[in-house]
Amino acid sequence: MIERLMRAWFSLEDRLFDLRHGIDTRRRAVDRAAVPAGATTVAHATSYQAVWTRNLRVLIRAARRHAELRVFVDVGAGKGKACIYASQHFASVIGVEYSAGLLHEANANCIRSGRRNITLLLADACEYDLPAQACLVFLFNPFDAVVLRQFVNRNLKRMRAHGSLIAYANDMQRETLAQLGLQCLFRDPVRNISLWCVAP
């Protein structure tokens, strides 16, 4: 009963978030895997879902306890909800999405929200280099272990050099992060969210 009430409350919070910002992030979108592109990610992508604001709040708070982070990078930005939420807490926000359709919706949402510190990029995670700054890299399970491994391997040195962290929601591929040598700083097994750093 209590769990059902909590879910209802968090669902209401997400509806209010969209209404307050004049955006639409809740409606399902076309599967990322259906995107007609030659990107490596296509065969390994997951379908779009909007992250709960509650999970973002918990992950950002946990990250702030471990590091001073300058930039929020949402890899698999979808319709831009995490970017809009994070823009209230970070000076600079970057949304990376390889679906042009989703990026178009994210851009419209960001404009409607009035947030000016968000940059949206059409890019494949397998070919994306993180900024040379301390970043909170947010993943809402946008792809499987194959792409996650490629993305992390490509950015491992940069993450280590700048003390970046990975905030992972719906952390289904967390074992991949552990295999790559990342260390779990925080995990909520009920909500399936976790925070990771590159081990020294």
Side-chain angles (χ1 to χ4, degrees):
M1 178 66 174
I2 293 175
E3 187 176 327
R4 193 180 306 155
L5 286 172
M6 293 295 282
R7 282 182 174 273
W9 168 252
F10 295 140
S11 180
L12 176 61
E13 181 183 16
D14 286 307
R15 285 196 185 99
L16 291 174
F17 181 84
D18 275 20
L19 285 170
R20 186 168 66 250
H21 292 93
I23 61 176
D24 166 35
T25 63
R26 295 173 52 80
R27 201 167 27 89
R28 283 197 174 268
V30 175
D31 232 351
R32 281 197 182 100
V35 175
T40 307
T41 311
V42 173
H44 304 280
T46 60
S47 59
Y48 168 79
Q49 289 181 323
V51 64
W52 284 6
T53 52
R54 158 82 172 153
N55 287 349
L56 283 167
R57 183 165 58 250
V58 171
L59 285 167
I60 289 172
R61 282 180 184 164
R64 289 256 161 88
R65 285 195 292 270
H66 291 279
E68 189 173 327
L69 303 162
R70 299 173 180 271
V71 182
F72 182 92
V73 182
D74 182 6
V75 180
K79 295 185 178 185
K81 180 178 182 178
C83 291
I84 293 166
Y85 183 90
S87 69
Q88 303 166 76
H89 304 280
F90 291 83
S92 178
V93 174
I94 300 169
V96 179
E97 176 58 57
Y98 89 127
S99 162
L102 281 173
L103 198 73
H104 176 77
E105 292 193 53
N107 188 54
N109 282 331
C110 289
I111 290 169
R112 282 196 295 270
S113 76
R115 299 290 174 180
R116 303 197 186 281
N117 59 335
I118 302 171
T119 301
L120 298 173
L121 303 174
L122 184 64
D124 187 333
C126 293
E127 300 168 1
Y128 177 71
D129 294 322
L130 289 170
Q133 299 182 65
C135 301
L136 180 59
V137 182
F138 177 69
L139 304 170
F140 184 30
N141 193 37
F143 33 67
D144 66 15
V146 173
V147 172
L148 181 59
R149 187 176 295 276
Q150 290 182 50
F151 169 75
V152 172
N153 278 331
R154 183 181 182 98
N155 287 284
L156 203 57
K157 288 181 183 176
R158 196 172 288 232
M159 289 178 62
R160 181 179 287 115
H162 300 285
S164 295
L165 303 178
I166 292 180
Y168 194 7
N170 193 18
D171 57 357
M172 294 178 65
Q173 310 299 334
R174 62 187 178 278
E175 286 302 316
T176 300
L177 295 180
Q179 290 164 12
L180 292 169
L182 274 72
Q183 177 183 347
C184 185
L185 299 172
F186 158 82
R187 183 160 198 272
D188 182 335
V190 175
R191 307 192 69 79
N192 294 322
I193 57 176
S194 51
L195 184 69
W196 300 79
C197 71
V198 180

